[in-house]
Amino acid sequence: MKDEALLEVEFQARIDADEKIEPKDWMPERYRRQLIRMMSQHAHSEIVGMLPEGNWITRAPTLRRKMALLAKVQDEAGHGLYLYSATETLGVDRYQLIRDLLEGRAKYSNIFNYPTLTWADVGVIGWFVDGAAIVNQTMLAKTSYGPYSRAMIRICKEEAFHKRQGYEICVTLARGTPEQRRMLQDAINRWWWPTLMMFGPPDDQSPNSPELLRWKVKRKTNDELRQHFVNITVPQVLALGMTIPDPDLRYDEKTGNWLIGPIDWDEFWRVIRGHGPCNRERLQARRKAHEEGAWVREAVQAYARKRQQQAASTAAEVSHG
Amino acid sequence: MNLETLDDALRPALFEYLLRLGDDALILGHRLSEWCGHGPYLEEDIALANLALDCLGHAEALLTLAGEVEGQGRTADDLAFLRDAYDFRNVQLVELPRGDFAFTIVRQFLYATYACLLYKALQQSAFEPLAGIAAKAHKEMQYHLRHSSEWMRCLGDGTEESHRRAQSALDELWMYTGELFEVDDTLRTLTEARIAPDMATLQPKWREQVETVLREATLTVPEDPPYMATGGRHGHHTEHLGHLLAEMQFLQRAYPGAQW
C-alpha cells in the first residue's frame, strides 16, 4: 500500500496534467469534503432557488410567460436532482444532504434570501442571477472532478436559455410604459449588489480559495469572476436606458474594466448567518413541503413493499406449480 | 370544415364550446402550477410541472382558436386575463383549491380519464383545427392518466393514511364529476354538426374506467350524492374561481394595455 504522501503527489500530478478525477479514483479526503460542500450547496441553491421565482408563476402576465417561468423553475428542480446525484458519487446520501438543509446545517446561495416583489424581479433574476451563475458555472465546467464538470456542462446550456428569457422580459419592460420602466429600475437597484455578492468574499478573505485553485476545483478567483460579470452586465444595463445603483462606478480605459464601489460585506456575512430578509421563510417553505410530503413518501414505500411481496409469492407459486 | 368554411350559424356555439375546453385546461393547469416547489419530492415537483405545462399548452391552443372562431380579434391572453369569473366556462371540478397531494391526484385522475375519452373522440371532429389540437392533447393526456392512475393505486393501496386521504378526496370530488357530461343546446348543436362527440356515449366508458382503477386501488366508488354541482358551463362557479382569477389576472388588470 502506497503511503498517503506519495498518493497526494500523484494526485496533484494528475490535476496539473488536467486529468479529470473520477468517483473511483483515489483523492485526498479534503478534496472529497470540499467537493461535497460545494456540490451540495449548489444543489440546495437550485432547490431553494425555485421559491423566489415560483412566487410569480401564478401571477405571470401572459400564457407564454407563465409557461416559460414554470418550465424554468422545473429546470431548476432538474438541476437540483442532477447535482444531488453527482454529489452521491462522493459517497453521501441525497436524503442526508436534504436533512442537512432542512435542519439548517447546510448553506445555499445567499441570493435566494431576498424577496421577489414585482414581475420585473423575475426578469432581473434571469438576467443577473442566472447570468452570474453562468459565469461561475462556465468556470466549473472545467473543474477537475469529472461528475461535477459534466453536470455543469449540461446545466450551463439551460442556464443560458434562462438568462436570455430573463433579459427579454427586461427588454420588454424597458420598452414599455413609464410604470414598467420604474418597476425594472427598482428591481435592478435591489438585485445588483446581492448578485455581485454571489461570487463570494473578496480573494483576500476567501479561506477555501487557494486550495480549490491548486486542485483546479475552481479555476478563477472570486474577484476575477465578479469583474468578468460586471464587465458583461454594465453595458447591458446602460443599453436598456437603466442605471446601476453605484455612484462610484466608472470605466477604466487602461484595463477595460468597469470598476465598482465598495461592496457591503457586512450585509453578506449577516445574510449568510441567517439574518437576511427571507432566510426563515425559505427554509420554512422547504420544511413544510417536506413534512407535508412525508405521508406520500411512506405510501410509496409501503406500496412498493406490497408489490414486491406479491411478485415474490407469484414467483413461488409459478416455481411450485 | 375549417375556419374559412365554417358555417356562421355555428360560430357562437363553437366559440362557447372552445371556451369550455380551453378554460378547463387553463384553470386546471393553473392549479397544478401552484405545486411547483412544494411537491412531496423533487421527482414529483418535476412531474406536476409537466402536467401543468401540458394543460397550459392545450389552453393556449384552444383559446387562440376560440378567439379566431369568435372573430372579434381577441387573443388567448385576452380571453385568459381579461374575462371575469362569470364569463369562464370551465367545470367547477378544476377550480377547487389544490388541497393535499391526494386531492390533486384524485382530481387529475378523474379529469384525465374524461379528457382522454373526449380528446380521442374529438380527433374525429368535423372542425379540422379542433381535431388537430385534440390529437396532440390526447397523446399528452394519456400520460396524465397513466401517471395519476399509478398514483391512485399507490395511495389507495399504500398506507392507512394514504388510503384515508385518497378516499376522502374521492368522496369530496365526486359531486363535481356530473358537470363533465352535461349536455345542453350548445353541445347538441355541435354534436349534430359532428364537431363535438355525443357525451352520453362517453359517460358509461368513463364510469367503467374509473371504477376499474378504483377497484385496483382498493378504493370505494362513492354513492351518487343528492346534489351534483352544476353551473360552471354557464358561468356560475364556486367562490374559489374569483380568487384564482384575482391572482392570475393581477398584472393585466393593474396595468391595462401594457405589453409583457
Side-chain angles (χ1 to χ4, degrees):
Chain A
M1 191 158 164
K2 293 183 192 173
D3 74 25
E4 195 90 344
L6 186 61
L7 285 168
E8 278 214 37
V9 171
E10 285 175 6
F11 178 81
Q12 189 63 49
R14 291 188 63 195
I15 298 278
D16 294 340
D18 273 339
E19 277 180 47
K20 291 276 182 255
I21 306 302
E22 295 300 333
K24 288 188 175 132
D25 298 346
W26 186 89
M27 61 186 83
E29 185 55 20
R30 258 198 77 72
Y31 178 85
R32 199 177 73 88
R33 295 244 147 255
Q34 286 281 21
L35 275 161
I36 292 173
R37 181 185 65 85
M38 281 178 69
M39 291 169 72
S40 61
Q41 278 180 18
H42 197 156
H44 298 327
S45 300
E46 298 282 357
I47 302 310
V48 178
M50 293 170 72
L51 297 169
E53 289 175 284
N55 180 37
W56 279 90
I57 290 172
T58 56
R59 288 177 292 170
T62 68
L63 291 173
R64 202 183 118 226
R65 293 288 187 215
K66 196 184 191 69
M67 287 189 271
L69 180 57
L70 183 53
K72 181 190 172 189
V73 179
Q74 184 193 35
D75 280 347
E76 282 158 13
H79 296 171
L81 205 52
Y82 198 51
L83 281 161
Y84 280 128
S85 302
T87 316
E88 283 185 324
T89 63
L90 292 159
V92 284
D93 172 61
R94 168 180 154 192
Y95 289 97
Q96 179 57 46
L97 297 174
I98 291 175
R99 265 195 301 281
D100 288 345
L101 172 69
L102 298 179
E103 288 164 20
R105 285 189 298 273
K107 291 197 175 66
Y108 55 87
S109 182
N110 248 359
I111 196 80
F112 302 120
N113 288 317
Y114 292 85
T116 50
L117 303 179
T118 70
W119 173 250
D121 290 32
V122 172
V124 172
I125 286 180
W127 175 17
F128 283 8
V129 176
D130 290 85
I134 290 168
V135 167
N136 197 29
Q137 290 168 10
T138 306
M139 173 223 19
L140 287 174
K142 300 188 195 94
T143 191
S144 57
Y145 186 57
Y148 197 20
S149 160
R150 290 188 287 276
M152 284 300 103
I153 290 168
R154 181 170 146 177
I155 288 173
C156 261
K157 281 185 196 149
E158 290 183 353
E159 298 286 13
F161 182 64
H162 297 165
K163 183 189 168 179
R164 270 205 302 281
Q165 262 177 15
Y167 188 65
E168 202 228 312
I169 289 175
C170 294
V171 170
T172 309
L173 294 174
R175 290 179 186 155
T177 64
E179 284 160 316
Q180 286 175 305
R181 294 176 62 82
R182 183 172 148 242
M183 193 186 282
L184 176 60
Q185 184 64 61
D186 178 67
I188 290 172
N189 293 351
R190 281 180 290 112
W191 290 98
W192 176 251
W193 292 109
T195 304
L196 297 188
M197 294 175 198
M198 280 176 71
F199 296 97
D203 295 347
D204 56 7
Q205 290 167 43
S206 176
N208 291 314
S209 279
E211 191 174 59
L212 295 176
L213 288 164
R214 178 160 55 83
W215 282 331
K216 294 189 184 169
V217 172
K218 286 170 67 164
R219 314 200 55 140
K220 281 181 180 157
T221 71
N222 295 353
D223 286 334
E224 283 170 340
L225 293 169
R226 188 168 15 248
Q227 185 62 59
H228 180 59
F229 172 81
V230 169
N231 289 348
I232 297 172
T233 311
V234 168
Q236 291 173 342
V237 172
L238 301 179
L240 291 188
M242 296 287 136
T243 59
I244 303 268
D246 178 358
D248 298 327
L249 182 77
R250 65 184 175 84
Y251 184 71
D252 183 48
E253 294 282 352
K254 211 163 65 209
T255 57
N257 285 333
W258 283 92
L259 303 179
I260 54 170
I263 292 176
D264 181 359
W265 292 111
D266 290 344
E267 176 180 329
F268 173 78
W269 293 113
R270 194 180 67 239
V271 179
I272 278 204
R273 291 191 186 106
H275 308 290
C278 297
N279 296 55
R280 262 183 296 271
E281 277 174 70
R282 299 293 185 236
L283 270 192
Q284 270 165 10
R286 286 315 309 163
R287 279 189 203 124
K288 186 163 174 280
H290 191 76
E291 282 160 16
E292 285 176 356
W295 69 268
V296 181
R297 294 189 297 275
E298 282 159 19
V300 169
Q301 284 172 359
Y303 183 69
R305 267 197 306 276
K306 284 187 194 176
R307 293 284 80 77
Q308 265 168 10
Q309 281 163 4
Q310 219 167 45
S313 64
T314 312
E317 273 168 34
V318 170
S319 69
H320 290 99
Chain B
M1 76 191 87
N2 54 38
L3 272 169
E4 283 73 42
T5 58
L6 178 65
D7 182 354
D8 274 345
L10 287 173
R11 276 180 196 264
L14 182 52
F15 172 64
E16 181 76 14
Y17 185 60
L18 290 167
L19 287 184
R20 293 177 183 183
L21 300 177
D23 289 347
D24 279 353
L26 173 63
I27 302 302
L28 184 60
H30 184 94
R31 284 298 187 209
L32 286 166
S33 78
E34 292 173 349
W35 276 97
C36 192
H38 308 281
Y41 42 93
L42 268 179
E43 285 85 345
E44 203 47 34
D45 258 3
I46 295 173
L48 289 171
N50 265 336
L51 305 186
L53 283 167
D54 286 344
C55 289
L56 293 170
H58 304 162
E60 193 186 31
L62 289 160
L63 293 177
T64 299
L65 186 58
E68 286 165 359
V69 167
E70 187 195 30
Q72 307 284 325
R74 285 204 278 183
T75 64
D77 282 337
D78 293 337
L79 290 169
F81 294 93
L82 299 174
R83 279 180 299 152
D84 199 349
Y86 56 77
D87 283 328
F88 271 77
R89 293 293 181 255
N90 57 282
V91 287
Q92 295 177 2
L93 175 74
V94 297
E95 74 203 33
L96 301 171
R98 69 179 163 104
D100 65 4
F101 186 68
F103 191 89
T104 284
I105 287 298
V106 175
R107 165 167 52 195
Q108 200 63 26
F109 164 69
L110 295 171
Y111 179 82
T113 307
Y114 154 83
C116 279
L117 289 165
L118 177 66
Y119 284 128
K120 182 162 188 257
L122 277 172
Q123 292 179 60
Q124 312 302 322
S125 173
F127 186 53
E128 287 148 24
L130 178 55
I133 295 172
K136 182 169 184 286
H138 179 246
K139 218 178 280 168
E140 292 173 349
M141 291 313 295
Q142 280 180 306
Y143 167 73
H144 292 217
L145 183 55
R146 271 204 306 278
H147 172 263
S148 58
S149 300
E150 187 51 27
W151 270 115
M152 288 296 287
R153 286 186 279 264
C154 172
L155 298 183
D157 197 16
T159 61
E160 226 170 276
E161 183 179 5
S162 70
H163 180 89
R164 178 179 56 72
R165 284 176 184 262
Q167 185 66 53
S168 128
L170 184 63
D171 294 343
E172 224 176 297
L173 283 160
W174 201 250
M175 69 175 269
Y176 294 96
T177 56
E179 265 194 299
L180 295 169
F181 298 97
E182 279 177 3
V183 173
D184 62 356
D185 286 343
T186 297
L187 208 52
R188 271 188 285 271
T189 305
L190 297 176
T191 305
E192 218 165 279
R194 296 185 30 255
I195 290 175
D198 179 5
M199 297 310 281
T201 65
L202 299 188
Q203 187 159 21
K205 290 184 193 161
W206 178 83
R207 179 93 193 193
E208 189 195 322
Q209 291 179 12
V210 165
E211 286 183 4
T212 302
V213 175
L214 293 185
R215 232 185 345 265
E216 290 165 358
T218 69
L219 294 165
T220 310
V221 181
E223 283 178 30
D224 281 336
Y227 171 70
M228 269 285 180
T230 184
R233 296 301 191 207
H234 300 100
H236 297 141
H237 292 278
T238 64
E239 291 174 349
H240 306 293
L241 184 63
H243 294 280
L244 183 154
L245 295 181
E247 187 174 346
M248 186 176 88
Q249 299 179 337
F250 151 67
L251 280 168
Q252 291 278 0
R253 300 294 194 180
Y255 303 93
Q259 297 299 305
W260 300 95

